[in-house]
C-alpha cells in the first residue's frame, strides 16, 4: 500500500477510475483527492486541456472541444468506458454545468458509470431559490429570506 494512498485497501481488487469533466483547478482537485486517498489515476475530459490538468502525472487527459454539447459528452464518456471494460467508473463534474449535464443524462450513463448526484427533480428543487427556501422551511433550517417576483 502506497503511503500517499491511506484508503487504498478499501478498493481491494476493484479497479476504480474516476472520470472528471472539466479542465480547471476544480478538476485537478478532484483528481488529486482520488490520487491521495486511493492511489488511482483519473481521466479528465476537458474542453481545452490547459492549465493544471495538461501535464499532471495523476491525470489521463482527453481533450474534447465540444464539451458544451451533452450528446458529445455522453459519446465521449461511452468511449472512455469502452476502453476500460473491467473498471468501475465514477463520473464527476468540476463545474455546475457539468453536474447539470450528468444529472440530465444519467439514463445514458448508468449502469456503466456511477453518477453520484441527486435525481433531476431534487436537483431542480434545491437549485432554485424558492425550492431551496421551501426545503429549509420543511426541515426547520435557518436561511436567508427572499421574495420571488414573477414578471
Amino acid at each position: 500500500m502506497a503511503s500517499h494512498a491511506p484508503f487504498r485497501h478499501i478498493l481491494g481488487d476493484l479497479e476504480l477510475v474516476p472520470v472528471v469533466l472539466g479542465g480547471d483547478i476544480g478538476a485537478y482537485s478532484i483528481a488529486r483527492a482520488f490520487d491521495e486517498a486511493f492511489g488511482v489515476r483519473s481521466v479528465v475530459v476537458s474542453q481545452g486541456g490547459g492549465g493544471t490538468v495538461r501535464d499532471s502525472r495523476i491525470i489521463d487527459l482527453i481533450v474534447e472541444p465540444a464539451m458544451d454539447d451533452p450528446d458529445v459528452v455522453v459519446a465521449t464518456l461511452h468511449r472512455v468506458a469502452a476502453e476500460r471494460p473491467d473498471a468501475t467508473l465514477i463520473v464527476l463534474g468540476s463545474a455546475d454545468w457539468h453536474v447539470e449535464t450528468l444529472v440530465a443524462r444519467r439514463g445514458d450513463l448508468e449502469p456503466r458509470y456511477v453518477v453520484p448526484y441527486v435525481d433531476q427533480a431534487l436537483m431542480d428543487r434545491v437549485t432554485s431559490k424558492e425550492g431551496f427556501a421551501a426545503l429549509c422551511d420543511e426541515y426547520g433550517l435557518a436561511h436567508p429570506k427572499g421574495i420571488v417576483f414573477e414578471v
Side-chain angles (χ1 to χ4, degrees):
M1 178 166 51
S3 62
H4 73 285
F7 303 109
R8 179 73 176 119
H9 66 282
I10 292 171
L11 297 180
D13 293 332
L14 179 72
E15 181 189 355
L16 175 66
V17 177
V19 180
V20 184
L21 303 183
D24 59 2
I25 191 69
Y28 176 80
S29 296
I30 293 169
R32 183 173 176 175
F34 276 98
D35 174 64
E36 289 178 356
F38 302 107
V40 298
R41 289 177 67 89
S42 294
V43 174
V44 171
V45 183
S46 172
Q47 193 163 19
T52 57
V53 298
R54 180 180 42 233
D55 298 316
S56 173
R57 67 167 180 76
I58 63 171
I59 290 172
D60 293 327
L61 179 63
I62 297 173
V63 176
E64 175 48 66
M67 285 291 292
D68 54 344
D69 181 341
D71 292 331
V72 171
V73 170
V74 168
T76 302
L77 291 173
H78 283 297
R79 282 194 307 276
V80 170
E83 293 168 0
R84 295 156 179 84
D86 298 325
T88 297
L89 303 166
I90 182 169
V91 63
L92 302 148
S94 68
D96 290 350
W97 66 279
H98 294 130
V99 174
E100 290 166 4
T101 297
L102 294 172
V103 168
R105 300 299 294 267
R106 176 191 307 275
D108 298 322
L109 300 171
E110 292 178 337
R112 192 61 187 96
Y113 281 92
V114 173
V115 182
Y117 299 111
V118 298
D119 64 32
Q120 187 71 59
L122 185 54
M123 177 89 155
D124 292 344
R125 191 170 177 201
V126 300
T127 58
S128 79
K129 290 182 188 225
E130 187 174 7
F132 182 76
L135 272 173
C136 288
D137 289 342
E138 182 179 332
Y139 289 97
L141 301 172
H143 63 90
K145 299 297 177 191
I147 299 171
V148 177
F149 290 97
E150 303 274 340
V151 288

